[in-house]
Amino acid sequence: KVTPKLTLNLGLRYEYFTPPYERNNRNANFVVGPNKLIYVNDKVPPSTPASVAMNIPPGVDNRALVKANGKNFAPRMGLAYQFARNTVFRAGGGVFYGDPGAAGVSSRPEYNPPYRVGYAYTSDNIHPTLTFATGFPANAVDPTLLDPSTTAFNAWDPNSASPVVYHWNASLEQQLGKFLVDANYVGTKGSHLATFYNINAAYPGGTSTAARRPYQGFSDITYVDSMGNSEYNALQMRVQRRYTNGISLLVSYTWSKSIDLSSGQLIGDLNFRNRSNVGWERAASTSSIPQRLVTSYTYALPIGSGSRFNPSHRALSAIVSGWQVNGITTIRDGHPFTVTTNVSSANTGQARPNWDPSVHTPGFKPTIHQWYDFAQFTPATLYNFPNEGRDILYSPGAVNFDASLFKRVSVRKLGEQGRIECRFEGFNIFNHPQFGQPNTNISSVGAGSITFLSTTMRQLQAGVKIVF
């Protein structure tokens, strides 16, 4: 407590994440550059040819096969300053680290040969690698025959940094009678987030996929490094009336923008057009909702025993007493999405069209039958990457009203606080349609249409709760 009006909280946290390893040492890592496998304690299995194996580089853990990060110092700071009796300014910030080893099982180093052997026979739109007539080669699944041209590898960058998130906020709180009003600025920035992609994806062109790979003689290589990043900035406003005289109210509004590249692989549409320029896919986060308003309220009807209006008739008083109305109203924007096509113009597997937002169909208005304007999208030039970015359009928003009616009856035989509650609850009581994402494939039947709902329709239910 620096002064009677100023309070500071200062702290420092240190975290050390031990790199994960396989307890039986069945672990291998593919090192991009030399394009060779490293094994625990440099013990190369007999089935791995010497031409695709190498010694562990200096500084790399002999079991985890990646470097450990011992510099994860995380300072924290909080501040509160009381300008006046009913006015307080608060601010804070901190650094937070994450586990660099968070990944799906099939992307981990344990899934490298010979402990797990996966074969990728990659075709493109022109050159089929395999056909039903010829089938797979006779030795396609023989783990003792390691063929780099068809074997899929997992490559974890040995020098990856620990994921880190910087968080900061500032708020001004004001007491106005029975109401508390506050406005907040909230920001976060993520750096060194894990990113997964095929670093050996083919360049655009008309020749075979194998001929256009950057690392010749190798098949797909799932590369994991710490190049991902994210940013979130928001204005968060709140009006609150705590429960007094049978009334409570909470109104929250958020106006935000979230953009990212990977977000630690927590998004589902991070498909890179160009493995040489991953930054093209930095865009609005798939989970982003620009605006959201939520109102919740409680109102105990002032009728009955102990209230201003209490009928003199005992039976009537018991019927009209103890009623309470509750509700939650949510109004929000939709989520972003990416338009796709059936055919990859670059002949690399990532199928998107070109996009020109300046083009408009006269009189076009989004409907559930066609949510986006087809005129803005055209096929990209053959053997060139499309210009459409990730998450350029937004799905419909939603309006939802939930409400409930409670009736409380005190029962002395159940104890001092004993009571029976009768509950009547309704979800989406006005039956507003709540649409999900439209059909994003512009080449498909029903392109742009919304054929399903994101939540169920109106629901009504009743129940009884006994409190002792």
Side-chain angles (χ1 to χ4, degrees):
K1 198 170 183 66
V2 181
T3 71
K5 292 187 175 183
L6 177 62
T7 301
L8 290 178
N9 286 290
L10 303 175
L12 179 66
R13 178 184 177 92
Y14 175 76
E15 294 181 301
Y16 178 73
F17 290 97
T18 56
Y21 57 86
E22 208 281 323
R23 64 179 179 179
N24 296 314
N25 295 329
R26 295 172 180 172
N27 190 18
N29 192 10
F30 187 86
V31 181
V32 175
N35 300 329
K36 294 186 178 183
L37 289 163
I38 55 176
Y39 289 91
V40 175
N41 297 322
D42 289 330
K43 295 182 178 179
V44 181
S47 59
T48 301
S51 59
V52 293
M54 61 178 284
N55 291 332
I56 299 173
V60 175
D61 188 271
N62 282 343
R63 294 192 71 186
L65 303 180
V66 294
K67 291 183 179 180
N69 191 338
K71 301 179 181 179
N72 295 346
F73 291 94
R76 313 286 170 85
M77 185 276 288
L79 175 153
Y81 183 77
Q82 187 173 14
F83 284 105
R85 182 167 176 240
N86 295 325
T87 307
V88 178
F89 173 78
R90 304 180 189 277
V95 180
F96 305 84
Y97 288 92
D99 183 358
V105 174
S106 62
S107 300
R108 296 175 185 171
E110 292 86 344
Y111 269 51
N112 271 319
Y115 311 117
R116 182 266 196 182
V117 181
Y119 296 92
Y121 296 90
T122 306
S123 298
D124 54 31
N125 294 328
I126 303 174
H127 309 90
T129 303
L130 297 174
T131 64
F132 285 111
T134 59
F136 290 98
N139 59 354
V141 291
D142 187 348
T144 64
L145 299 175
L146 198 160
D147 182 359
S149 65
T150 57
T151 303
F153 295 99
N154 287 336
W156 285 58
D157 182 5
N159 301 306
S160 289
S162 297
V164 58
V165 174
Y166 304 91
H167 176 83
W168 60 93
N169 65 83
S171 67
L172 187 64
E173 298 179 359
Q174 177 68 49
Q175 184 78 32
L176 299 173
K178 297 179 180 180
F179 292 89
L180 175 65
V181 180
D182 63 66
N184 305 269
Y185 163 66
V186 176
T188 63
K189 177 177 174 56
S191 299
H192 307 305
L193 307 180
T195 305
F196 303 73
Y197 65 101
N198 181 12
I199 198 173
N200 205 27
Y203 293 117
T207 58
S208 67
T209 300
R212 293 181 282 118
R213 291 189 185 274
Y215 299 102
Q216 287 290 296
F218 290 89
S219 184
D220 292 343
I221 302 173
T222 300
Y223 188 57
V224 182
D225 69 0
S226 54
M227 66 182 300
N229 57 75
S230 65
E231 290 183 15
Y232 175 82
N233 293 277
L235 171 65
Q236 300 176 354
M237 305 186 70
R238 180 181 62 168
V239 177
Q240 182 179 13
R241 186 188 193 277
R242 295 181 179 176
Y243 190 83
T244 54
N245 299 325
I247 300 175
S248 70
L249 177 68
L250 178 62
V251 180
S252 301
Y253 171 73
T254 301
W255 178 34
S256 65
K257 185 173 184 179
S258 178
I259 57 178
D260 62 33
L261 176 66
S262 176
S263 285
Q265 199 66 8
L266 295 180
I267 57 178
D269 67 344
L270 187 58
N271 296 314
F272 298 124
R273 283 169 289 169
N274 184 359
R275 45 85 53 201
S276 300
N277 195 340
V278 177
W280 281 4
E281 308 312 326
R282 178 175 165 83
S285 305
T286 305
S287 58
S288 176
I289 300 178
Q291 296 190 80
R292 184 182 182 94
L293 174 67
V294 180
T295 302
S296 58
Y297 53 87
T298 296
Y299 180 50
L301 300 180
I303 304 174
S305 177
S307 301
R308 182 183 305 176
F309 306 102
N310 184 23
S312 58
H313 193 281
R314 184 175 179 179
L316 180 60
S317 177
I319 294 173
V320 299
S321 297
W323 289 95
Q324 177 179 298
V325 178
N326 316 281
I328 300 176
T329 301
T330 303
I331 304 173
R332 64 166 178 82
D333 288 334
H335 296 278
F337 64 91
T338 307
V339 176
T340 62
T341 64
N342 282 339
V343 179
S344 168
S345 61
N347 199 26
T348 60
Q350 178 53 226
R352 297 186 200 172
N354 277 342
W355 180 51
D356 186 352
S358 65
V359 177
H360 298 282
T361 299
F364 173 79
K365 292 183 179 180
T367 67
I368 62 171
H369 304 292
Q370 184 182 336
W371 187 252
Y372 50 88
D373 191 350
F374 297 160
Q376 296 183 346
F377 300 91
T378 56
T381 306
L382 189 61
Y383 306 141
N384 284 277
F385 292 113
N387 70 359
E388 185 207 359
R390 168 178 151 253
D391 288 345
I392 59 170
L393 301 178
Y394 279 80
S395 62
V399 177
N400 185 78
F401 289 84
D402 297 334
S404 62
L405 182 63
F406 289 4
K407 164 69 174 174
R408 292 184 173 89
V409 179
S410 298
V411 181
R412 294 182 180 179
K413 291 184 179 182
L414 296 178
E416 184 178 351
Q417 301 295 328
R419 66 182 185 274
I420 295 177
E421 293 182 0
C422 298
R423 300 187 172 194
F424 305 92
E425 299 172 306
F427 301 93
N428 192 15
I429 59 175
F430 296 117
N431 207 28
H432 282 131
Q434 304 194 17
F435 298 108
Q437 182 174 284
N439 184 335
T440 61
N441 189 339
I442 198 171
S443 303
S444 66
V445 176
S449 63
I450 302 174
T451 57
F452 63 92
L453 303 179
S454 61
T455 60
T456 57
M457 303 299 283
R458 177 171 50 201
Q459 294 183 7
L460 301 175
Q461 62 186 40
V464 176
K465 178 181 179 182
I466 301 176
V467 180
F468 295 91

